[in-house]
Amino acid sequence: MEMVPDTSNLDPVVLELGGLFADAGYELSLVGGPVRDLFLGRTSPDLDFTTNATPDQILAVAAKWADSHWEMGRAFGTIGFRKRNRNKEVLLIEVTTYRAEAYDPESRKPAVAFGTSLEDDLARRDFTTNAMALRLPGLELVDPHGGARDLAAGLLRTPGTPEQSFSDDPLRMMRAARFASQLGLGLHPSVLAAMKDMAGRISIISAERVRDELVKLICGAQPRAGVDILVETGLAALVLPEVPALKLETDEHHRHKDVYQHSLQVLEQAAALETGPDGPVPGPDFVLRFAALMHDVGKPKTRRFEPGGAVSFRHHDLAGAKLTAKRMKALRFDNESIKAVSRLVELHMRFYGYGDAGWTDSAVRRYVADAGPVLERLHRLTRSDVTTRNQRKADRLSFAYDDLEQRIAVLAAQEELDAIRPDLDGGAIMAMLGLKPGPVVGRAYKFLLELRMDEGPQSAEQAEAALHAWWAGQPESQPDAQADAQVDAGPADQDAPADDA
């Protein structure tokens, strides 16, 4: 079935800008992703245009029309603009001079050469589905490589040979997997074959660019398909080797499938548990999804064969957290994301055994405190980690986690669990015990925190009595030792800030 672009929802700003360029004697076309999305009935967040005007001429035409502009991409022929539409929404617009790039096979970046025609510009693009344009302001579709046909067939092809395309920019191989995830497109056999043959060229691409494509892939509508392509082509072995390594292992809990397939299923199930924009985990949530994919990467390292033929993976959660943090650092992720994902991997096994042994209130408090800001994600990861075909077992685990969440809710209402602190802060501890900032204050602070975890909130009188009783048993409480402690006092323990409320 032939597809046609639906231009009815095209923002009037597009036609307005096209008219400005036409009046000035220049060509302008909407190009790439925004055109592809018109076929798919999607609204593109950014608007990309191409033109025969030079960067200086682009500025002369549109600088006064736009609300603001930037020139960071001038060396590549790109000028950016911000423009509010009739609904007061801010549109991000990039206008780029026709390009005809020449690539150094050993370089990470193209050598830019400006082109002279729209057709030449389209020929250099990554895939046929992104090599379509709408001439403005007349809205004439330009599709020299059959992008609409490929989109209807659900296939990714390259305008030229895939070998040339991937040699020009190896990151396009990652983009192929990303489009499989985002758009549900399959790979033309020639594209898949070229990716397998040329996967090694991804090594010349910077970690930051690989990371950005990986994030988009994981946050796509079908991340499992994208990850599968990375693994099948050998790209994952180079950029995310912990994932294909899972195919070598057998999950002791789910012997009907290997750990790799289990991890992909957990990824899908975690994504399905994301919430809307007003919920606790708005989707797509990269942290939750990536933790789901990586949660068992410690198993290959910790696999042990036990007497009787059983297989164990003791402490694979801790090993996996370290491997995850190491990989994310190599991919140049920010510290906050690294900490959140690796924490989830570390804690994903904590819940198991709750249904059989039961937890004290103290254990529930520790679970919440250890999870901290990733608690809602941990709820979803733990629930997603059940892929057994044994419905009775699945129901038992689900009911047990329902019970745990209910207990957390009850305790949270009583104690504000998300901000557990000792009943006395560092300043009060020093005042009561006559101490200056130092390690002893940190120990006292930790004692009170443990008391708070074990017994719940204390009154001021109870906390003070407990602190005095603890202090009486400390060697520093003796007059001579206390004097020495004051002389040797250093900065306060990081866990016990003097002004902690």
Side-chain angles (χ1 to χ4, degrees):
M1 181 180 66
E2 183 178 354
M3 299 181 69
V4 294
D6 178 8
T7 60
S8 61
N9 292 324
L10 203 60
D11 197 291
V13 165
V14 172
L15 299 178
E16 187 178 330
L17 185 60
L20 287 177
F21 274 77
D23 291 345
Y26 302 115
E27 299 175 4
L28 185 74
S29 297
L30 187 67
V31 70
V35 178
R36 178 201 66 220
D37 287 347
L38 290 175
F39 283 87
L40 300 174
R42 294 162 33 121
T43 300
S44 195
D46 302 323
L47 295 172
D48 296 325
F49 299 84
T50 188
T51 179
N52 62 344
T54 66
D56 286 340
Q57 292 166 338
I58 293 170
L59 282 169
V61 172
K64 292 183 179 180
W65 166 83
D67 299 321
S68 62
H69 71 274
W70 61 95
E71 303 181 38
M72 290 180 293
R74 174 186 275 273
F76 297 94
T78 300
I79 303 296
F81 300 97
R82 284 187 180 85
K83 178 71 174 179
R84 287 189 181 273
N85 63 13
R86 296 173 184 176
N87 297 325
K88 305 301 181 183
E89 300 165 329
V90 176
L91 302 180
L92 298 181
I93 295 168
E94 288 191 344
V95 182
T96 302
T97 305
Y98 293 152
R99 287 180 7 196
E101 291 165 348
Y103 289 81
D104 178 346
E106 302 306 319
S107 174
R108 294 178 177 182
K109 297 180 180 179
V112 177
F114 294 151
T116 58
S117 74
L118 175 60
E119 288 73 14
D120 288 346
D121 183 271
L122 295 177
R124 71 168 184 83
R125 294 180 178 267
D126 54 2
F127 300 104
T128 60
T129 52
N130 295 331
M132 298 183 286
L134 281 179
R135 289 190 188 273
L136 301 170
L139 298 179
E140 171 197 351
L141 177 65
V142 181
D143 182 17
H145 305 286
R149 176 195 63 218
D150 290 341
L151 203 55
L155 280 178
L156 274 178
R157 286 193 311 115
T158 53
T161 67
E163 289 81 7
Q164 184 61 53
S165 181
F166 300 151
S167 178
D168 287 347
D169 185 359
L171 189 67
R172 289 172 174 174
M173 294 184 287
M174 291 286 297
R175 285 168 63 83
R178 187 246 289 188
F179 287 130
S181 170
Q182 287 183 328
L183 306 176
L185 300 177
L187 305 188
H188 188 276
S190 65
V191 171
L192 183 62
M195 290 172 66
K196 291 179 178 179
D197 290 342
M198 303 178 67
R201 278 192 56 75
I202 200 68
S203 61
I204 72 168
I205 300 298
S206 69
E208 291 83 358
R209 294 182 72 203
V210 170
R211 174 202 63 205
D212 291 347
E213 287 298 327
L214 181 62
V215 169
K216 293 174 184 177
L217 184 158
I218 295 297
C219 291
Q222 300 180 39
R224 182 174 191 155
V227 173
D228 253 338
I229 288 173
L230 291 183
V231 172
E232 181 183 359
T233 59
L235 285 166
L238 299 168
V239 303
L240 200 61
E242 296 79 7
V243 172
L246 295 172
K247 298 188 78 169
L248 304 178
E249 307 304 319
T250 300
D251 189 326
E252 79 277 21
H253 295 301
H254 313 282
R255 292 182 178 178
H256 60 281
K257 62 182 68 174
D258 61 25
V259 183
Y260 172 70
Q261 292 298 332
H262 164 73
S263 298
L264 292 185
Q265 188 174 348
V266 174
L267 168 60
E268 286 185 317
Q269 293 179 174
L273 292 179
E274 293 167 342
T275 66
D278 297 326
V281 185
D285 186 85
F286 173 78
V287 168
L288 171 61
R289 293 183 181 204
F290 198 56
L293 177 63
M294 302 291 283
H295 76 285
D296 274 347
V297 296
K299 284 190 170 180
K301 184 177 181 179
T302 59
R303 182 174 64 166
R304 297 290 183 272
F305 295 98
E306 306 292 348
V311 181
S312 68
F313 301 93
R314 292 189 181 90
H315 306 302
H316 76 271
D317 43 356
L318 300 180
K322 292 179 181 179
L323 288 171
T324 298
K326 182 178 179 180
R327 178 56 48 198
M328 292 183 73
K329 288 176 183 176
L331 289 171
R332 305 291 193 272
F333 277 92
D334 62 279
N335 289 334
E336 184 177 351
S337 296
I338 295 172
K339 182 178 179 180
V341 174
S342 58
R343 191 63 164 164
L344 285 169
V345 174
E346 178 185 351
L347 294 176
H348 83 272
M349 293 294 293
R350 180 73 67 86
F351 161 74
Y352 290 95
Y354 172 84
D356 297 328
W359 283 2
T360 63
D361 285 351
S362 173
V364 175
R365 293 186 191 102
R366 291 176 190 278
Y367 186 76
V368 173
D370 288 346
V374 299
L375 178 63
E376 289 292 344
R377 291 178 172 122
L378 182 58
H379 290 334
R380 285 154 178 80
L381 176 60
T382 302
R383 289 184 180 276
S384 301
D385 195 22
V386 178
T387 61
T388 178
R389 293 176 180 175
N390 183 327
Q391 192 59 48
R392 180 178 297 179
K393 180 179 179 181
D395 289 343
R396 184 174 70 250
L397 290 170
S398 179
F399 294 151
Y401 207 86
D402 287 343
D403 182 68
L404 174 58
E405 285 201 68
Q406 179 60 31
R407 289 183 63 192
I408 289 172
V410 171
L411 285 172
Q414 297 171 350
E415 306 176 14
E416 297 184 359
L417 265 174
D418 58 340
I420 290 179
R421 295 290 186 273
D423 296 286
L424 300 174
D425 63 20
I429 291 171
M430 290 188 289
M432 287 181 57
L433 302 183
L435 297 174
K436 294 181 180 179
V440 179
V441 180
R443 284 175 24 221
Y445 185 94
K446 290 177 180 177
F447 162 75
L448 289 174
L449 181 59
E450 291 291 321
L451 182 68
R452 173 74 170 78
M453 291 283 193
D454 291 338
E455 300 183 15
Q458 307 286 301
S459 68
E461 292 77 11
Q462 289 174 319
E464 290 173 7
L467 180 62
H468 280 302
W470 172 85
W471 178 238
Q474 302 303 305
E476 293 88 352
S477 67
Q478 303 305 314
D480 291 342
Q482 187 173 353
D484 292 341
Q486 300 306 316
V487 172
D488 296 336
D493 189 294
Q494 290 184 353
D495 291 331
D499 58 351
D500 198 347

